[in-house]
Amino acid sequence: MKIGGYLCTGCGIGDRLDTKSLESVAVREGRIGFCKTHDFLCSQAGVDMIKADMALEGDDQVTKAVIMACSRRAKTESFNFGAVPVSRVNLREGVIWIRPEGSEHDETTQEMAADYIRMGCAEVKAMHQADASGEQSKNNHIMVVGGGITGMTAALEASKAGYYASIIEKSDRLGGVMGQLKQRQPEHSPFQNPQDTGVAALIAAVEADDKITVYLSSTIAKTAGAPGRFEVDIASTVGAGTHAEFGAIVQATGFTPYDANNLPEFSYGKSPNVVTQLELEALARAAGDGPIKRADGKVVENVVFVQCAGQRSTKEGHLSYCSGHCCATSIKQAMYFKDSNPDIETTVLFDDIRTPGAGGENFYRSAQDKFVTFRKGKVSTVDVKGNELQVNFKDLILDEDAHMGADLVVLATGMLPNSGTDIDTMKDKDASGEVKVSVESILNLNYRQGPDMPQLVNGFTDSHFICFPYETRRTGIYSAGPVRRPMDAAQAQTDAMGAVMKAIQAIENSAIGRAAHPRSGDLSFPSFRKEGCTQCKRCTVECPFGAIDEDAKGYPQYNEARCRRCGTCMGACPVQVISFKNYSIETVGAQLKAVDVPDEFQEKPRILVLACENDAYPALDMAAMKRNESSAFIRVIPVRCLGSTNTIWIKDALGSGYDGVVMMGCKKGADYQCHFVKGSEMAHVRMAKIGDTLSTMNLEADRVAVHEVAITDIDRAPKLLDEMVAVINRVGLSPFKF
Amino acid sequence: MTTAVNQAMVEKYKGNFLKEVTDNVEEGNWVKMCMQCGVCSGSCPLGPHWDHPPQELFMMIRANKREEVLSSTSMWMCTSCYNCVARCPRGLPITHIMHGLAHYGKRMGMKPKNQPTEKFGQMFWDNLIKKGRVNELKLGLGLYFKDGFAEGVKVSMGKQKLGLNMMKAKRMSPMEMLGGHGVKDLSGFHAMLKKAEELEAARVGANTDAK
Ligand code: SF4
Ligand code: SF4
Ligand code: SF4
Ligand code: SF4
């Protein structure tokens, strides 16, 4: 049992620092077994040297290592020794690359390096080998909720990849909204004409696939468990219920069309000749190969499509967002008319035509070629004039009020996601004592945090459109199709494939106890010391992923497979009883205590920086690569998420003589960029209260700063640190130095 | 004749001016492909000075504003700088459509009154077909005097120096006033023009034929 220190003198470290003295800092002050230097530590020879030490037997075996070289973000493969705890001391990006050369700087630069080495040694001592919890099991079966094209595609993809799938469909048939359409927008070049929806073929493929089970007229009565071991009760309106176990879940519950009754100004409801896009599909299907007729039997000769009906609007009761498919749908529907008779007048009144993707663009051109008229105008009202309709609009190009007659008006209304219960509004109502859930739950999760997954914006369920598509805030449960974000059929099918891939990843990861993104591969998980727990439930409430339930006695019950290892619970716990094997109150606390705080006469301030390892720390690393200079008084500790910072660290740091603390986390709020969704936000909430602590200590409030830093803030991040140095220069050194 | 053709066109296309433009205007089949992005209008150095920049003209065509489009002065203002063509993301030959529209408007007898470009164009044409060559002196003077005698004298006086210099440099000969050069085979040239006119009439006739 030995802690080995390995100091690299390559990359200029040996030229800039007195490595002989650093070796003795590691051994004498860091109190580790030994410290070896190597002039090229990440080379095969260097790595082999470390591995050889780890392979020794008995007391000589190195069981923990301190690598004193480059940033922990560099050479991750070389310095990955499996389960052996390793701390990384960042002498390259963290010290020599941000410090100017010249003998006048040597002393402070050397002090910086020595501090980081002491910190690394202290950290590794508090670290323990991470192992899987043992609670995991493997289940190759994916539950797909919803039997529309998204759900069916998901099930088929799962089967193709060798997994099993069960489709739970509420209605008595497969097909969903797509099943009600006459044709769909083309999927292949040259993207000119509407094509078959393909729903019949999908249904046939699903029915023929023996890895897929279909439950029609069925809903989910209860979902319990965690990835790898979901326990589901399936209720049926026609037969007996079933109990089944699944490894992961794909929710593909689609959308409900926006209620056009909210649009009386367009005479919806007043005239049967004002219809929604979906209602037009019914007319088109009824017409078959013949001309499309109105409800009264008249053949339509003049049709006007009103885009953005009740969408992209700030009016109350309207949808603020674009549903992503309606422009292309109107184009397709105009072609239904044009293809049957080119003399039918088809006018699309649009605000902006949005046809995402090259296919959409070509389809639009094809419609122009077919003489579909596109007129940029905002429709104000539709008047019923006998058998005719009059569409009144403002022509936005000619800047004039205009109107035109029509036999039929088609409204492009939007989509509302079928997300189930909004657990956030539920929570709000909880406070006032009246829980009233208007929407039925879909998953009926028995999680402490509510029966469905949290919604992002406008009721859609994604957790991050760009960085983590398909991910929801319930690990192992992925969403695909229009329930995730507004989209068209082609995107929904691509989505289904993506979500299934994520589901498979969840199954495989949970089987071996590894974390999902972004700490993929991490085997550590949070556990709590029961004796110290006050049952305050902060961890349960603050976990962004619903990983914590309460057991019968009111103690937190961790479901490791649901956990993303962000440490937000650890940051939340007021009595600091939550920890990970390799990341804990101690690992960070020991590091900040290992810093040598000079007395006040030396006039060398110490500033603690807690930087999120996902964005802020990389930004600082990249600033260093650009050789952006930084103060020698800064000591940076990376944290898993700003959400994992416990206020005790701040108090400890200030109490032990640090002059300032800077915290850097990701952007919070509605357009957050936090990898753990709420972590950064929780940290901001907690730190808003740090002012009280500061005032009881008689310290200036601006000694603690919390910033939102993106990975691209390469120039800004070091400036934020300079700002704190300036603050300290202004308010003076901390009175808590010894 | 023009009014008759015009009436026939109105009759034939009823409310569908876009179709009329597609069938009869040079490069007019492109108008339906305009996606109303406005890049042409934004690029046109003259756009701000016109009643209707290209994008708007194309929208008016779709909005069936036949009378307003064909009698507009806008397309006559195009200087053929080709900025719009170079920039249109949809690749519309806008300049050509502009000239096509001007020509069609004129053929339909709906050209704007007293439009200088139109007047000059006619003058150029009349001058050219006489001898098969442009008589610069006559054309120049005709241009000066197009707005009346008094105005003409004023313009001529102003341009006196330019005229004298051109004569000195043998770029212009006062003798041209007396008749001027012609092409070698003048009657052949006239026969050619006549044939072209016939072909044109046949084409328009074909389009004006009842469906
Ligand atoms: S807060 Fe983070 S670390 Fe804690 S249980 Fe939840 S997901 Fe896991
Ligand atoms: S936050 Fe800490 S004290 Fe509160 S319930 Fe969780 S583990 Fe217990
Ligand atoms: S070619 Fe004519 S229409 Fe086009 S930018 Fe130039 S002047 Fe304007
Ligand atoms: S640039 Fe082209 S596509 Fe855009 S408005 Fe002008 S003509 Fe239309």
Short mmCIF file of all heavy atoms in Angstrom, two decimals, chain A residues 606-660:
data_model
loop_
_atom_site.label_atom_id
_atom_site.label_comp_id
_atom_site.label_asym_id
_atom_site.label_seq_id
_atom_site.Cartn_x
_atom_site.Cartn_y
_atom_site.Cartn_z
N ARG A 606 -4.47 34.73 -1.53
CA ARG A 606 -4.81 33.42 -2.08
C ARG A 606 -6.28 33.45 -2.48
O ARG A 606 -7.14 33.84 -1.67
CB ARG A 606 -4.59 32.32 -1.05
CG ARG A 606 -3.12 31.98 -0.81
CD ARG A 606 -2.48 31.34 -2.05
NE ARG A 606 -1.05 31.12 -1.84
CZ ARG A 606 -0.11 31.91 -2.37
NH1 ARG A 606 -0.43 32.97 -3.09
NH2 ARG A 606 1.16 31.64 -2.16
N ILE A 607 -6.51 33.06 -3.72
CA ILE A 607 -7.89 33.07 -4.22
C ILE A 607 -8.25 31.66 -4.64
O ILE A 607 -7.56 31.03 -5.44
CB ILE A 607 -8.04 34.05 -5.39
CG1 ILE A 607 -7.83 35.48 -4.87
CG2 ILE A 607 -9.40 33.91 -6.07
CD1 ILE A 607 -7.48 36.47 -5.93
N LEU A 608 -9.33 31.14 -4.07
CA LEU A 608 -9.78 29.79 -4.40
C LEU A 608 -10.74 29.87 -5.57
O LEU A 608 -11.67 30.68 -5.59
CB LEU A 608 -10.49 29.17 -3.19
CG LEU A 608 -11.11 27.79 -3.43
CD1 LEU A 608 -10.05 26.74 -3.68
CD2 LEU A 608 -12.00 27.39 -2.26
N VAL A 609 -10.51 29.02 -6.56
CA VAL A 609 -11.42 28.97 -7.71
C VAL A 609 -12.00 27.58 -7.80
O VAL A 609 -11.27 26.58 -7.89
CB VAL A 609 -10.68 29.31 -9.02
CG1 VAL A 609 -11.63 29.22 -10.20
CG2 VAL A 609 -10.04 30.69 -8.94
N LEU A 610 -13.32 27.50 -7.74
CA LEU A 610 -13.99 26.22 -7.95
C LEU A 610 -14.58 26.28 -9.35
O LEU A 610 -15.47 27.08 -9.62
CB LEU A 610 -15.08 26.01 -6.89
CG LEU A 610 -14.53 25.89 -5.46
CD1 LEU A 610 -15.66 25.94 -4.45
CD2 LEU A 610 -13.72 24.60 -5.27
N ALA A 611 -14.03 25.46 -10.22
CA ALA A 611 -14.42 25.57 -11.63
C ALA A 611 -15.05 24.27 -12.12
O ALA A 611 -14.51 23.18 -11.91
CB ALA A 611 -13.20 25.89 -12.48
N CYS A 612 -16.18 24.40 -12.77
CA CYS A 612 -16.88 23.24 -13.33
C CYS A 612 -15.98 22.53 -14.33
O CYS A 612 -15.40 23.15 -15.22
CB CYS A 612 -18.16 23.70 -14.00
SG CYS A 612 -18.81 22.53 -15.18
N GLU A 613 -15.87 21.21 -14.18
CA GLU A 613 -14.94 20.46 -15.03
C GLU A 613 -15.41 20.36 -16.47
O GLU A 613 -14.65 19.96 -17.35
CB GLU A 613 -14.74 19.04 -14.46
CG GLU A 613 -15.99 18.19 -14.55
CD GLU A 613 -15.80 16.75 -14.06
OE1 GLU A 613 -14.75 16.46 -13.46
OE2 GLU A 613 -16.71 15.95 -14.27
N ASN A 614 -16.68 20.70 -16.72
CA ASN A 614 -17.21 20.54 -18.07
C ASN A 614 -16.99 21.76 -18.96
O ASN A 614 -16.82 21.61 -20.16
CB ASN A 614 -18.70 20.22 -18.01
CG ASN A 614 -18.97 18.96 -17.22
OD1 ASN A 614 -18.57 17.89 -17.62
ND2 ASN A 614 -19.61 19.11 -16.07
N ASP A 615 -17.06 22.93 -18.40
CA ASP A 615 -16.92 24.13 -19.20
C ASP A 615 -15.84 25.08 -18.70
O ASP A 615 -14.94 25.46 -19.43
CB ASP A 615 -18.25 24.91 -19.27
CG ASP A 615 -19.08 24.50 -20.48
OD1 ASP A 615 -19.23 23.28 -20.68
OD2 ASP A 615 -19.56 25.37 -21.21
N ALA A 616 -15.95 25.47 -17.42
CA ALA A 616 -15.05 26.50 -16.91
C ALA A 616 -13.60 26.03 -16.89
O ALA A 616 -12.70 26.74 -17.33
CB ALA A 616 -15.50 26.95 -15.52
N TYR A 617 -13.39 24.81 -16.39
CA TYR A 617 -12.02 24.31 -16.30
C TYR A 617 -11.38 24.16 -17.70
O TYR A 617 -10.27 24.61 -17.92
CB TYR A 617 -11.98 22.99 -15.50
CG TYR A 617 -10.60 22.63 -14.98
CD1 TYR A 617 -10.04 23.33 -13.90
CD2 TYR A 617 -9.86 21.61 -15.55
CE1 TYR A 617 -8.78 23.02 -13.42
CE2 TYR A 617 -8.59 21.28 -15.07
CZ TYR A 617 -8.06 22.00 -14.01
OH TYR A 617 -6.80 21.68 -13.54
N PRO A 618 -12.11 23.56 -18.65
CA PRO A 618 -11.57 23.52 -20.01
C PRO A 618 -11.29 24.92 -20.57
O PRO A 618 -10.30 25.11 -21.28
CB PRO A 618 -12.66 22.84 -20.83
CG PRO A 618 -13.46 22.07 -19.86
CD PRO A 618 -13.34 22.76 -18.54
N ALA A 619 -12.16 25.88 -20.24
CA ALA A 619 -11.94 27.24 -20.75
C ALA A 619 -10.62 27.78 -20.19
O ALA A 619 -9.84 28.40 -20.91
CB ALA A 619 -13.11 28.15 -20.38
N LEU A 620 -10.36 27.52 -18.91
CA LEU A 620 -9.10 27.98 -18.31
C LEU A 620 -7.91 27.27 -18.95
O LEU A 620 -6.88 27.87 -19.22
CB LEU A 620 -9.11 27.74 -16.79
CG LEU A 620 -10.05 28.65 -15.98
CD1 LEU A 620 -10.12 28.18 -14.53
CD2 LEU A 620 -9.63 30.10 -16.06
N ASP A 621 -8.09 25.97 -19.22
CA ASP A 621 -7.02 25.21 -19.89
C ASP A 621 -6.71 25.81 -21.25
O ASP A 621 -5.55 25.96 -21.64
CB ASP A 621 -7.46 23.75 -20.08
CG ASP A 621 -7.01 22.87 -18.93
OD1 ASP A 621 -6.34 23.39 -18.02
OD2 ASP A 621 -7.34 21.67 -18.94
N MET A 622 -7.78 26.13 -21.98
CA MET A 622 -7.57 26.65 -23.33
C MET A 622 -6.98 28.05 -23.29
O MET A 622 -6.19 28.42 -24.16
CB MET A 622 -8.87 26.61 -24.11
CG MET A 622 -9.21 25.18 -24.52
SD MET A 622 -10.56 25.09 -25.68
CE MET A 622 -11.93 25.26 -24.55
N ALA A 623 -7.35 28.81 -22.27
CA ALA A 623 -6.74 30.13 -22.11
C ALA A 623 -5.23 29.95 -21.91
O ALA A 623 -4.42 30.70 -22.45
CB ALA A 623 -7.36 30.85 -20.92
N ALA A 624 -4.88 28.90 -21.17
CA ALA A 624 -3.47 28.62 -20.93
C ALA A 624 -2.75 28.22 -22.21
O ALA A 624 -1.61 28.59 -22.45
CB ALA A 624 -3.32 27.52 -19.88
N MET A 625 -3.47 27.47 -23.05
CA MET A 625 -2.86 27.07 -24.33
C MET A 625 -2.55 28.30 -25.17
O MET A 625 -1.63 28.30 -25.97
CB MET A 625 -3.81 26.16 -25.11
CG MET A 625 -3.91 24.77 -24.52
SD MET A 625 -5.17 23.84 -25.40
CE MET A 625 -5.59 22.67 -24.14
N LYS A 626 -3.38 29.33 -25.02
CA LYS A 626 -3.11 30.58 -25.72
C LYS A 626 -2.09 31.42 -24.95
O LYS A 626 -1.81 32.55 -25.32
CB LYS A 626 -4.40 31.40 -25.84
CG LYS A 626 -5.34 30.95 -26.92
CD LYS A 626 -6.58 31.83 -26.96
CE LYS A 626 -6.29 33.22 -27.49
NZ LYS A 626 -7.46 34.12 -27.35
N ARG A 627 -1.60 30.87 -23.86
CA ARG A 627 -0.64 31.55 -22.99
C ARG A 627 -1.22 32.86 -22.44
O ARG A 627 -0.52 33.86 -22.31
CB ARG A 627 0.68 31.84 -23.72
CG ARG A 627 1.35 30.61 -24.33
CD ARG A 627 1.74 29.58 -23.27
NE ARG A 627 2.68 28.59 -23.77
CZ ARG A 627 2.34 27.47 -24.40
NH1 ARG A 627 1.07 27.18 -24.61
NH2 ARG A 627 3.25 26.62 -24.82
N ASN A 628 -2.51 32.83 -22.14
CA ASN A 628 -3.12 33.98 -21.46
C ASN A 628 -2.58 34.02 -20.03
O ASN A 628 -2.75 33.06 -19.29
CB ASN A 628 -4.65 33.82 -21.40
CG ASN A 628 -5.34 34.33 -22.65
OD1 ASN A 628 -4.70 34.95 -23.50
ND2 ASN A 628 -6.60 34.08 -22.76
N GLU A 629 -1.99 35.09 -19.68
CA GLU A 629 -1.37 35.19 -18.36
C GLU A 629 -2.42 35.26 -17.26
O GLU A 629 -3.50 35.80 -17.44
CB GLU A 629 -0.50 36.44 -18.33
CG GLU A 629 0.44 36.49 -17.17
CD GLU A 629 1.22 37.80 -17.18
OE1 GLU A 629 1.68 38.20 -18.27
OE2 GLU A 629 1.34 38.42 -16.12
N SER A 630 -2.09 34.67 -16.12
CA SER A 630 -3.01 34.72 -15.00
C SER A 630 -2.22 34.96 -13.72
O SER A 630 -1.02 34.71 -13.66
CB SER A 630 -3.76 33.39 -14.92
OG SER A 630 -4.94 33.56 -14.21
N SER A 631 -2.93 35.43 -12.69
CA SER A 631 -2.26 35.76 -11.44
C SER A 631 -1.68 34.52 -10.76
O SER A 631 -2.23 33.42 -10.86
CB SER A 631 -3.27 36.43 -10.51
OG SER A 631 -2.82 36.36 -9.18
N ALA A 632 -0.60 34.71 -10.02
CA ALA A 632 0.03 33.58 -9.30
C ALA A 632 -0.67 33.31 -7.98
O ALA A 632 -0.29 32.41 -7.24
CB ALA A 632 1.50 33.89 -9.06
N PHE A 633 -1.69 34.09 -7.67
CA PHE A 633 -2.36 33.93 -6.36
C PHE A 633 -3.60 33.04 -6.45
O PHE A 633 -4.31 32.85 -5.47
CB PHE A 633 -2.73 35.31 -5.80
CG PHE A 633 -1.53 36.23 -5.71
CD1 PHE A 633 -1.61 37.55 -6.12
CD2 PHE A 633 -0.32 35.75 -5.22
CE1 PHE A 633 -0.51 38.39 -6.03
CE2 PHE A 633 0.80 36.58 -5.13
CZ PHE A 633 0.71 37.90 -5.54
N ILE A 634 -3.84 32.52 -7.63
CA ILE A 634 -5.04 31.73 -7.88
C ILE A 634 -4.75 30.25 -7.61
O ILE A 634 -3.71 29.73 -7.99
CB ILE A 634 -5.43 31.84 -9.37
CG1 ILE A 634 -5.52 33.30 -9.82
CG2 ILE A 634 -6.67 31.05 -9.71
CD1 ILE A 634 -6.74 34.02 -9.43
N ARG A 635 -5.70 29.54 -6.98
CA ARG A 635 -5.60 28.09 -6.83
C ARG A 635 -6.92 27.51 -7.32
O ARG A 635 -7.98 27.78 -6.73
CB ARG A 635 -5.38 27.69 -5.36
CG ARG A 635 -4.10 28.26 -4.74
CD ARG A 635 -2.83 27.70 -5.37
NE ARG A 635 -1.63 28.30 -4.77
CZ ARG A 635 -0.96 29.32 -5.31
NH1 ARG A 635 -1.36 29.86 -6.46
NH2 ARG A 635 0.13 29.80 -4.72
N VAL A 636 -6.85 26.73 -8.39
CA VAL A 636 -8.08 26.23 -9.01
C VAL A 636 -8.34 24.78 -8.63
O VAL A 636 -7.44 23.94 -8.72
CB VAL A 636 -8.00 26.33 -10.56
CG1 VAL A 636 -9.35 25.96 -11.19
CG2 VAL A 636 -7.56 27.71 -11.00
N ILE A 637 -9.56 24.49 -8.24
CA ILE A 637 -9.97 23.10 -8.00
C ILE A 637 -11.15 22.80 -8.92
O ILE A 637 -12.16 23.49 -8.88
CB ILE A 637 -10.41 22.88 -6.53
CG1 ILE A 637 -9.25 23.21 -5.56
CG2 ILE A 637 -10.90 21.44 -6.32
CD1 ILE A 637 -9.63 23.08 -4.09
N PRO A 638 -11.00 21.78 -9.77
CA PRO A 638 -12.14 21.44 -10.62
C PRO A 638 -13.23 20.71 -9.82
O PRO A 638 -12.90 19.90 -8.95
CB PRO A 638 -11.54 20.53 -11.69
CG PRO A 638 -10.24 20.04 -11.15
CD PRO A 638 -9.81 20.98 -10.06
N VAL A 639 -14.47 21.00 -10.13
CA VAL A 639 -15.59 20.29 -9.48
C VAL A 639 -16.46 19.66 -10.56
O VAL A 639 -16.47 20.11 -11.70
CB VAL A 639 -16.43 21.25 -8.60
CG1 VAL A 639 -15.61 21.73 -7.40
CG2 VAL A 639 -16.97 22.44 -9.39
N ARG A 640 -17.20 18.62 -10.19
CA ARG A 640 -17.99 17.90 -11.20
C ARG A 640 -19.06 18.78 -11.82
O ARG A 640 -19.43 18.61 -12.97
CB ARG A 640 -18.68 16.69 -10.56
CG ARG A 640 -17.68 15.64 -10.23
CD ARG A 640 -18.37 14.37 -9.83
NE ARG A 640 -17.37 13.34 -9.63
CZ ARG A 640 -17.63 12.11 -9.28
NH1 ARG A 640 -18.88 11.73 -9.07
NH2 ARG A 640 -16.67 11.24 -9.14
N CYS A 641 -19.60 19.63 -11.00
CA CYS A 641 -20.64 20.54 -11.43
C CYS A 641 -20.64 21.59 -10.35
O CYS A 641 -20.36 21.27 -9.19
CB CYS A 641 -22.00 19.82 -11.46
SG CYS A 641 -23.41 20.92 -11.76
N LEU A 642 -20.96 22.81 -10.68
CA LEU A 642 -20.99 23.82 -9.62
C LEU A 642 -22.03 23.41 -8.56
O LEU A 642 -21.92 23.77 -7.39
CB LEU A 642 -21.32 25.20 -10.20
CG LEU A 642 -20.81 26.37 -9.38
CD1 LEU A 642 -19.33 26.26 -9.11
CD2 LEU A 642 -21.13 27.68 -10.06
N GLY A 643 -23.00 22.62 -9.02
CA GLY A 643 -24.03 22.12 -8.10
C GLY A 643 -23.45 21.26 -6.99
O GLY A 643 -24.07 21.07 -5.95
N SER A 644 -22.25 20.73 -7.18
CA SER A 644 -21.69 19.87 -6.15
C SER A 644 -20.91 20.67 -5.09
O SER A 644 -20.41 20.10 -4.14
CB SER A 644 -20.77 18.81 -6.78
OG SER A 644 -19.59 19.42 -7.26
N THR A 645 -20.81 21.97 -5.27
CA THR A 645 -20.06 22.74 -4.27
C THR A 645 -20.88 22.91 -3.01
O THR A 645 -22.00 23.39 -3.03
CB THR A 645 -19.69 24.14 -4.80
OG1 THR A 645 -20.86 24.74 -5.34
CG2 THR A 645 -18.62 24.08 -5.85
N ASN A 646 -20.28 22.50 -1.94
CA ASN A 646 -20.96 22.60 -0.65
C ASN A 646 -20.49 23.89 0.01
O ASN A 646 -19.30 24.21 -0.03
CB ASN A 646 -20.58 21.39 0.21
CG ASN A 646 -21.53 21.23 1.37
OD1 ASN A 646 -21.57 22.06 2.26
ND2 ASN A 646 -22.33 20.17 1.32
N THR A 647 -21.42 24.60 0.63
CA THR A 647 -21.05 25.89 1.22
C THR A 647 -19.98 25.74 2.30
O THR A 647 -19.28 26.68 2.63
CB THR A 647 -22.27 26.62 1.81
OG1 THR A 647 -23.02 25.67 2.55
CG2 THR A 647 -23.12 27.21 0.72
N ILE A 648 -19.86 24.52 2.81
CA ILE A 648 -18.84 24.30 3.86
C ILE A 648 -17.44 24.60 3.31
O ILE A 648 -16.57 25.11 4.00
CB ILE A 648 -18.93 22.86 4.42
CG1 ILE A 648 -18.07 22.72 5.71
CG2 ILE A 648 -18.45 21.81 3.43
CD1 ILE A 648 -18.69 23.35 6.91
N TRP A 649 -17.23 24.31 2.01
CA TRP A 649 -15.93 24.59 1.42
C TRP A 649 -15.63 26.08 1.43
O TRP A 649 -14.53 26.52 1.72
CB TRP A 649 -15.86 24.08 -0.03
CG TRP A 649 -15.96 22.58 -0.16
CD1 TRP A 649 -15.63 21.66 0.79
CD2 TRP A 649 -16.40 21.86 -1.31
NE1 TRP A 649 -15.84 20.39 0.30
CE2 TRP A 649 -16.31 20.48 -0.98
CE3 TRP A 649 -16.85 22.22 -2.57
CZ2 TRP A 649 -16.68 19.48 -1.89
CZ3 TRP A 649 -17.20 21.23 -3.47
CH2 TRP A 649 -17.11 19.86 -3.13
N ILE A 650 -16.66 26.83 1.12
CA ILE A 650 -16.49 28.29 1.06
C ILE A 650 -16.16 28.81 2.47
O ILE A 650 -15.25 29.61 2.67
CB ILE A 650 -17.78 28.97 0.54
CG1 ILE A 650 -18.37 28.20 -0.65
CG2 ILE A 650 -17.53 30.44 0.21
CD1 ILE A 650 -17.51 28.16 -1.88
N LYS A 651 -16.94 28.32 3.43
CA LYS A 651 -16.71 28.76 4.81
C LYS A 651 -15.31 28.37 5.26
O LYS A 651 -14.59 29.17 5.87
CB LYS A 651 -17.74 28.13 5.75
CG LYS A 651 -19.10 28.81 5.67
CD LYS A 651 -20.04 28.19 6.70
CE LYS A 651 -21.45 28.13 6.13
NZ LYS A 651 -22.30 27.16 6.79
N ASP A 652 -14.94 27.11 4.98
CA ASP A 652 -13.61 26.65 5.37
C ASP A 652 -12.52 27.51 4.76
O ASP A 652 -11.55 27.90 5.42
CB ASP A 652 -13.40 25.20 4.92
CG ASP A 652 -14.06 24.21 5.87
OD1 ASP A 652 -14.65 24.70 6.87
OD2 ASP A 652 -14.00 22.99 5.62
N ALA A 653 -12.69 27.79 3.46
CA ALA A 653 -11.66 28.56 2.77
C ALA A 653 -11.54 29.95 3.38
O ALA A 653 -10.43 30.41 3.72
CB ALA A 653 -11.99 28.65 1.28
N LEU A 654 -12.67 30.61 3.57
CA LEU A 654 -12.62 31.97 4.11
C LEU A 654 -12.09 31.96 5.53
O LEU A 654 -11.30 32.82 5.94
CB LEU A 654 -14.00 32.62 4.05
CG LEU A 654 -14.51 32.88 2.62
CD1 LEU A 654 -15.96 33.31 2.65
CD2 LEU A 654 -13.65 33.93 1.92
N GLY A 655 -12.49 30.94 6.29
CA GLY A 655 -12.04 30.85 7.67
C GLY A 655 -10.55 30.56 7.79
O GLY A 655 -9.93 30.87 8.80
N SER A 656 -9.99 29.94 6.76
CA SER A 656 -8.57 29.61 6.87
C SER A 656 -7.68 30.62 6.15
O SER A 656 -6.53 30.33 5.87
CB SER A 656 -8.32 28.19 6.39
OG SER A 656 -8.71 28.07 5.05
N GLY A 657 -8.22 31.77 5.83
CA GLY A 657 -7.37 32.85 5.37
C GLY A 657 -7.36 33.14 3.88
O GLY A 657 -6.63 34.02 3.42
N TYR A 658 -8.13 32.38 3.10
CA TYR A 658 -8.22 32.76 1.68
C TYR A 658 -8.85 34.16 1.60
O TYR A 658 -9.70 34.52 2.41
CB TYR A 658 -9.14 31.80 0.92
CG TYR A 658 -8.49 30.49 0.52
CD1 TYR A 658 -8.48 29.41 1.39
CD2 TYR A 658 -7.90 30.36 -0.73
CE1 TYR A 658 -7.90 28.20 1.03
CE2 TYR A 658 -7.32 29.15 -1.10
CZ TYR A 658 -7.32 28.08 -0.23
OH TYR A 658 -6.75 26.90 -0.60
N ASP A 659 -8.41 34.89 0.60
CA ASP A 659 -8.90 36.27 0.49
C ASP A 659 -10.13 36.39 -0.38
O ASP A 659 -10.89 37.34 -0.28
CB ASP A 659 -7.77 37.14 -0.06
CG ASP A 659 -6.53 37.01 0.81
OD1 ASP A 659 -6.49 37.68 1.85
OD2 ASP A 659 -5.64 36.20 0.48
N GLY A 660 -10.31 35.42 -1.27
CA GLY A 660 -11.49 35.47 -2.13
C GLY A 660 -11.80 34.10 -2.70
O GLY A 660 -10.95 33.21 -2.72
#
